[in-house]
Amino acid sequence: MAQKKYLQAKLTQFLREDRIQLWKPPYTDENKKVGLALKDLAKQYSDRLECCENEVEKVIEEIRCKAIERGTGNDNYRTTGIATIEVFLPPRLKKDRKNLLETRLHITGRELRSKAVRGGFRKWHATHMRRRPCGSAPAMGFSRETTEE
């Protein structure tokens, strides 16, 4: 697991340095399928990393799919005004740590908490999204203005 995260971090770094946009041709075709140039890129990076080409190709494909997913979410936000927020829960509360919550971004902290409860995060909501006493850390990284009303 740690080796895969390291490989993913190094490949992301290489992609940024080389200014490669995996969601665009020649790495992705018009149907959002993998392009032929991805194999060449995997070969190039596996040589740089002295790593298995198949493993590098798998990780690059995961990065490409995630980039396409984010791009689709951005397009959806531009047209509908509804964003998808990734909510990470502690492993002891859910099987899936990452949960998706669709919402408009111009809402108050109270409205966000309400959406979280309706979205099935009730147990997590009760322990992590409550108001905090003055002087303590804001809940979920929100500024005090969004959590206090």
Side-chain angles (χ1 to χ4, degrees):
M1 183 67 158
Q3 183 180 0
K4 183 178 178 182
K5 285 187 183 253
Y6 173 78
L7 183 59
Q8 190 172 22
K10 288 303 284 183
L11 290 170
T12 301
Q13 177 187 348
F14 289 164
L15 292 166
R16 285 184 180 140
E17 287 171 358
D18 297 341
R19 296 192 173 160
I20 292 176
Q21 299 173 331
L22 292 175
W23 58 94
K24 292 183 176 179
Y27 308 104
T28 300
D29 66 15
E30 55 278 345
N31 297 322
K32 298 185 179 177
K33 301 288 184 210
V34 65
L36 299 175
L38 194 77
K39 283 197 178 292
D40 296 333
L41 187 64
K43 172 80 171 111
Q44 175 189 347
Y45 286 163
S46 67
D47 291 344
R48 275 172 79 178
L49 290 167
E50 298 176 359
C51 187
C52 173
E53 186 177 337
N54 288 337
E55 192 63 32
V56 170
E57 187 176 350
K58 277 190 230 174
V59 173
I60 290 175
E61 174 61 9
E62 287 175 14
I63 294 169
R64 187 189 74 82
C65 289
K66 186 67 175 172
I68 290 171
E69 184 181 312
R70 284 190 175 138
T72 304
N74 289 343
D75 292 343
N76 184 44
Y77 176 72
R78 282 187 206 104
T79 57
T80 66
I82 296 176
T84 303
I85 299 173
E86 293 177 344
V87 179
F88 290 89
L89 301 176
R92 62 183 164 73
L93 296 180
K94 287 268 188 187
K95 284 184 185 176
D96 300 324
R97 285 201 64 200
K98 183 175 80 171
N99 293 275
L100 302 177
L101 178 67
E102 290 186 346
T103 183
R104 296 197 179 278
L105 295 180
H106 300 295
I107 63 172
T108 65
R110 178 174 284 160
E111 291 169 323
L112 180 60
R113 288 188 296 272
S114 174
K115 280 184 175 274
V117 169
R118 285 190 305 242
F121 308 135
R122 183 177 304 278
K123 186 175 181 183
W124 178 78
H125 169 273
T127 59
H128 290 84
M129 291 188 70
R130 64 181 180 268
R131 284 194 182 165
R132 309 264 178 189
C134 223
S136 66
M140 243 181 79
F142 292 102
S143 66
R144 184 161 270 114
E145 296 86 48
T146 59
T147 56
E148 309 248 342
E149 295 168 0

